[in-house]
Structures are given as C-alpha cells and as structure tokens.
C-alpha cells in the first residue's frame, strides 16, 4: 500500500485514497472490506460518505485487514476517535495526541536505525569543525586512506589530520591497519535535541556557501525559495522530505565509495 497513513488526519480520506490507488481504482474492494470486518457493504459506503463512523471494534478489524503495524494501528484508532469526538474539548485532546505522533515521525534518529553514540565531551570535539565528519567519511574511499592523501585533499596540514585520525581511532570510528586508516561501520547521527546540533548545521551550511563560490558550482545542486502555505501542508512537506532523506540514505548505504559529497536540506519557518 503506497499511501502513508501518517500523512492523514482524516481516516476516510486515507481509505478513499488507498482504494483509488488500487488496480481498477479498487473495484470490489468495498465488498472485501465489508466481508473482512463482518458488516454490510452499505455500512462501508455510509462511512466513506461521512454519514456515520466505524465503531472502535470495526476500526480494529480494518487495522487487521490492511495489515497495519502496531504504530499504524494506534494512529488509525486515534483518527477514528477524532472523527467520533462529540465535543470540542475532546476533539482538541485527541488532536494533540495525533500531533505528538506525527512530530515523533519527523525525528530522524528514530527512523534511520542509528546505533553509535558518543559522549557530550566527544561531541564537543567532533562537531567543533566540519573536518572531523568529512575525514571520517573520506576514509571509506580507498585512495584517501593515508594521512598524506587526506591532508592534500582538504589542503590542511598533516599535523591537523593526524590529530583528527587519532581522535577517530579513539572513538572507534576508524582503525589503523597496515599503514592505512579505515572507517568503521559505525554511523553517527546528532539528535535534534543535542546542544551541538546548531554548530553541526552551521558547519555544513558554511561549506554550502563555499561550494556556491567555487567555479564548479554549476556541477552542484542548490535550491532556495520562500513560500506561503497552510499549516497542514507544512506537515505534509516535512513528511515528504523525511521520506526523501530515508530513500537517499538507502541509496548511499549501497553505493560504492568514490567521491565525497555533502547532503544538506533546509525547510523552516521564517
């Protein structure tokens, strides 16, 4: 099923879009749903038209029918509760729960299976300069696994590179084997709640500026825009961007290490 439930705040629209995405635009699917949750097909039609709602028991059967995960099933039940809410006070309470779930979906470290972590003191060093992360990833490329090659690539003194490599070794992010430095398989992700997150973003936005100033900037991809949109569409765009990041990380994970690139994305309220 291609439709992402967490993009929706209306369970009817979610079901209608899902049915419409099926072969032959879901012909016969209403009968299948009715049979699956043991109710008349006319009830399915009434629900989708907004004339009535699923009971919580029927909503749970729909969860089983659609093969929802535990997280999806809980969210779907909240959407049904929202539609059935009889007072503004109750509706507001349920909307807050839905908002919390959707916001949690935007926390990347919970979605990228990041396992490695370092202390706050180590973070202060690692994120003090963009070079630490850059050297760490450059080590995945075979021709840049020596101190001299790294220093030449970044036009930095060998002494500085030696200090960075020693630090990466101490963290277990690199190993020294037969005169070469090799990156470990550990991956770091700085959470949005870290006190170093601002420094981390500034480090790489400065590199973006330098990329724009270079003569070969036309080989890069840069996009800047200012837009006015609805609050609901803000959530939808954030969801799309998170999915794009997940898809990009999947490609990167299986890609052969040949070149070093920076991947930055910005979408924020002014």
């Amino acid at each position: 099923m291609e439709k992402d439930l967490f993009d929706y705040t209306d369970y009817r629209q979610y079901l209608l879009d899902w049915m419409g995405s099926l072969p032959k635009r879901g012909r016969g699917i209403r009968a299948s749903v009715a049979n699956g949750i043991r109710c008349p097909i006319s009830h399915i039609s009434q629900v989708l038209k907004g004339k009535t709602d699923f009971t919580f028991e029927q909503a749970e059967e729909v969860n089983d029918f659609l093969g929802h995960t535990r997280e999806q099933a809980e969210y779907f039940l909240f959407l049904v509760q929202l539609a059935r809410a009889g007072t503004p006070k109750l509706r507001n309470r349920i909307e807050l729960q839905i908002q919390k779930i959707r916001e949690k979906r935007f926390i990347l470290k919970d979605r990228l299976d990041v396992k490695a972590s370092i202390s706050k003191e180590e973070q202060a060093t690692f994120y003090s300069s963009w070079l630490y992360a850059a050297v760490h990833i450059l080590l995945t490329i075979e021709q840049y696994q020596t101190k001299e090659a790294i220093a030449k690539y970044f036009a930095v003194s060998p002494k500085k590179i030696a200090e960075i490599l020693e630090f990466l070794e101490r963290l277990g992010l690199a190993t020294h084997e037969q005169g070469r430095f090799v990156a470990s398989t550990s991956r770091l992700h700085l959470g949005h709640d870290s006190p170093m997150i601002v420094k981390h973003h500034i480090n790489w936005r400065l590199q973006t500026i330098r990329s724009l100033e270079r003569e070969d900037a036309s080989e890069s991809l840069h996009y800047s825009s200012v837009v006015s949109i609805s609050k609901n569409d803000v959530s939808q765009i954030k969801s799309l961007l998170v999915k794009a990041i997940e898809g990009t990380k999947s490609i990167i994970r299986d890609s052969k290490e040949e070149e070093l690139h920076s991947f930055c994305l910005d979408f924020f309220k002014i």
Side-chain angles (χ1 to χ4, degrees):
M1 185 167 56
E2 296 181 358
K3 300 301 177 182
D4 189 340
L5 173 59
F6 297 100
D7 287 341
Y8 293 83
T9 55
D10 183 333
Y11 80 90
R12 291 186 182 85
Q13 191 60 54
Y14 164 68
L15 292 174
L16 287 168
D17 288 351
W18 166 65
M19 292 177 178
S21 70
L22 297 174
K24 298 182 179 179
R25 298 195 60 78
R27 181 181 301 173
I29 191 62
R30 296 190 183 195
S32 297
V33 174
N35 182 62
I37 70 173
R38 296 182 293 280
C39 75
I41 189 173
S42 59
H43 179 62
I44 302 297
S45 297
Q46 292 295 307
V47 168
L48 294 177
K49 290 178 180 178
K51 295 183 178 180
T52 188
D53 285 292
F54 286 132
T55 64
F56 296 135
E57 291 77 12
Q58 289 172 338
E60 186 62 19
E61 293 297 326
V62 172
N63 277 328
D64 289 341
F65 181 85
L66 294 178
H68 284 160
T69 63
R70 180 183 60 80
E71 189 180 14
Q72 289 173 326
E74 291 177 356
Y75 187 76
F76 187 78
L77 287 174
F78 269 123
L79 295 187
V80 174
Q81 289 182 53
L82 179 64
R84 294 178 61 89
T87 65
K89 185 176 180 180
L90 177 59
R91 185 175 181 85
N92 289 338
R93 183 179 296 276
I94 297 170
E95 285 178 337
L96 285 175
Q97 293 299 316
I98 290 173
Q99 182 179 349
K100 287 180 180 179
I101 294 173
R102 298 185 76 188
E103 287 177 350
K104 188 175 184 297
R105 297 281 298 175
F106 297 137
I107 301 177
L108 291 176
K109 68 179 180 181
D110 293 340
R111 300 183 65 172
L112 299 180
D113 191 29
V114 177
K115 298 178 181 179
S117 62
I118 58 178
S119 69
K120 290 182 178 180
E121 292 76 13
E122 292 165 337
Q123 285 184 18
T125 299
F126 188 87
Y127 295 105
S128 65
S129 168
W130 63 278
L131 269 173
Y132 286 88
V135 170
H136 178 217
I137 301 304
L138 189 66
L139 291 177
T140 64
I141 304 176
E142 188 174 354
Q143 62 263 40
Y144 300 112
Q145 293 179 337
T146 65
K147 178 178 62 177
E148 294 74 20
I150 298 169
K152 183 177 180 180
Y153 185 90
F154 290 121
V156 176
S157 72
K159 179 182 178 181
K160 178 61 177 177
I161 296 302
E163 292 174 354
I164 292 174
L165 290 171
E166 181 181 327
F167 180 77
L168 294 178
E169 276 191 278
R170 195 160 64 246
L171 264 58
L173 296 176
T175 57
H176 194 197
E177 304 171 358
Q178 300 178 342
R180 305 183 73 84
F181 290 89
V182 182
S184 70
T185 57
S186 298
R187 293 187 299 127
L188 292 178
H189 177 79
L190 193 62
H192 73 292
D193 52 352
S194 170
M196 296 303 300
I197 191 66
V198 173
K199 177 63 174 173
H200 173 57
H201 288 313
I202 289 174
N203 285 342
W204 288 104
R205 270 47 182 196
L206 289 174
Q207 297 311 305
T208 299
I209 294 172
R210 291 171 183 169
S211 171
L212 287 166
E213 292 174 342
R214 288 199 301 264
E215 293 182 0
D216 62 350
S218 60
E219 297 179 5
S220 304
L221 175 62
H222 299 283
Y223 178 77
S224 299
S225 177
V226 178
V227 297
S228 58
I229 53 177
S230 71
K231 291 181 178 179
N232 186 58
D233 286 339
V234 168
S235 293
Q236 290 193 51
I237 290 174
K238 287 175 70 177
S239 180
L240 284 171
L241 295 178
V242 168
K243 290 174 190 174
I245 292 172
E246 290 180 309
T248 301
K249 298 294 283 188
S250 177
I251 293 171
I252 292 171
R253 186 167 52 248
D254 299 328
S255 181
K256 179 176 174 56
E257 296 85 358
E258 295 177 343
E259 297 181 341
L260 192 66
H261 285 257
S262 173
F263 174 36
C264 298
L265 184 150
D266 302 289
F267 179 64
F268 55 93
K269 183 177 180 179
I270 299 174

